Amino acid sequence: MSGILIAEDEERISSFIEKGLRAAGYTSHVVTNGGDALDFASSGSFDLLVLDIGLPGLDGFEVLRRLRSSGSTIPVIILTARDSGADTVAALESGANDYMSKPFRFDELLARIRLRAQDAVPADRSVLSHGDLSLDTRTRRATIGSRTVDLSAREFGLAEEFLRHPDQVLSREQLLSRVWGFDFDPGSNVVDVYVRYLRAKFGPEHIETVRGMGYRLR
Ligand code: CA
């Protein structure tokens, strides 16, 4: 593990990020096209990828899709053009951990990098299990006993959060900020909806509702 990979074809932006990261004590490496972004990010040598959507060669979406389908769990923060809400949603759905809209302040990006780099899964803890439930965070496989369960990227993220904190009550706000990772409307019922999806797939007894507080993995 040796730092941050920056995939950005605009030199002005990449050098701005690189200088800021150096000042904050991080090492970084810049690539300027999608093919290199995929190769370097897949190498296992980086803690986190800052990924521009508009890259030559493979665009950022394609890089992200290929990374996730090959089982890579490297945290990814995407950079989108301002006012491209559709891009943002698409990127988060394809497995990005967070996003920044250009133009952005460096300290905002740094805060997100610090947060997301901590989520990186150490190699020896790639399999999380509790009772008969187990998740391999590298291959993105979920199993109950000997049965494999198909989970979407977001369902997997939610299941992972529960397995990292078994028997703990997790509030909707905690789950929103950790799994969805951005300023989601706190009145949103997206957590409840996804808990329902997980119960349907795992069996209802695995996730308990704690009235007025949140949910708990049993
Ligand atoms: Ca670009």
Side-chain angles (χ1 to χ4, degrees), residues 8-10 52 54-55 102:
E8 169 61 75
D9 57 323
E10 276 178 73
D52 182 32
L55 285 175
K102 297 176 187 176

Side-chain angles (χ1 to χ4, degrees), residues 123-137:
D124 59 344
R125 286 230 37 216
S126 66
V127 178
L128 303 168
S129 56
H130 185 69
D132 58 353
L133 199 57
S134 116
L135 292 186
D136 187 324
T137 58

Side-chain angles (χ1 to χ4, degrees), residues 125 128-131 133 159-170 206 215-218:
R125 286 230 37 216
L128 303 168
S129 56
H130 185 69
L133 199 57
E160 184 175 341
E161 199 54 41
F162 278 120
L163 277 157
R164 286 186 186 283
H165 306 93
D167 301 318
Q168 234 178 357
V169 179
L170 300 173
H206 286 89
Y215 295 106
R216 172 164 55 200
L217 180 70
R218 286 203 291 203

Side-chain angles (χ1 to χ4, degrees), residues 75-134:
V76 175
I77 299 175
I78 55 153
L79 303 179
T80 66
R82 202 164 179 75
D83 298 330
S84 55
D87 274 11
T88 305
V89 171
L92 292 166
E93 289 291 320
S94 28
N97 303 75
D98 215 333
Y99 73 96
M100 292 290 308
S101 299
K102 297 176 187 176
F104 52 85
R105 298 209 329 251
F106 180 76
D107 57 353
E108 287 181 27
L109 177 63
L110 183 61
R112 284 163 199 241
I113 287 175
R114 286 200 166 120
L115 184 68
R116 298 295 157 201
Q118 290 168 0
D119 294 343
V121 183
D124 59 344
R125 286 230 37 216
S126 66
V127 178
L128 303 168
S129 56
H130 185 69
D132 58 353
L133 199 57
S134 116

